[in-house]
Amino acid sequence: MDYDQSVKSDDGKLQISLVPTAIIYDIAKIREYGVKKYGGRENWKNVEIERYFDAMLRHILPCFEDIGKKDEESGFPHLYHAACNLAFILEFMKNKE
């Protein structure tokens, strides 16, 4: 079926529906945990990017032993934390451009 692009043109726009939703939920869980722990929704912006690289690696390395290993403090999988740290890093990089 051919659709009429004159009705709603999405040509050249990102297809957000291609992104697996699980990662969005996983990062949201870590963000909620972080806001409760550290306070302030925007506090993450006041941390040096290098600290997020360090934190991301601290959370990725345990996954080499056990992919589902959970962080002892939060109870969430290390990969959720790693994904959140990566999201922070990518946001810093985007804002540098």
Side-chain angles (χ1 to χ4, degrees), residues 4-24:
D4 182 359
Q5 285 292 308
S6 66
V7 175
K8 168 106 176 83
S9 179
D10 290 331
D11 252 2
K13 295 179 183 174
L14 293 176
Q15 287 185 275
I16 303 300
S17 61
L18 296 174
V19 177
T21 57
I23 195 166
I24 297 168

Side-chain angles (χ1 to χ4, degrees), residues 90-97:
L90 291 170
E91 190 68 16
F92 275 123
M93 290 173 60
K94 182 189 90 169
N95 289 332
K96 267 188 157 182
E97 295 174 359

Side-chain angles (χ1 to χ4, degrees), residues 44-45 47-50 52-53 56 85-97:
W44 69 271
K45 295 178 182 179
V47 176
E48 301 85 7
I49 192 171
E50 293 81 13
Y52 289 120
F53 277 106
M56 181 179 64
N85 283 291
L86 180 58
F88 290 156
I89 291 166
L90 291 170
E91 190 68 16
F92 275 123
M93 290 173 60
K94 182 189 90 169
N95 289 332
K96 267 188 157 182
E97 295 174 359

Side-chain angles (χ1 to χ4, degrees), residues 57-82:
L57 290 173
R58 281 194 303 270
H59 286 292
I60 286 177
L61 291 176
C63 297
F64 284 97
E65 294 174 19
D66 175 3
I67 193 73
K69 190 169 187 174
K70 294 185 178 182
D71 177 73
E72 289 181 15
E73 184 181 345
S74 71
F76 290 111
H78 281 284
L79 284 178
Y80 290 19
H81 287 276

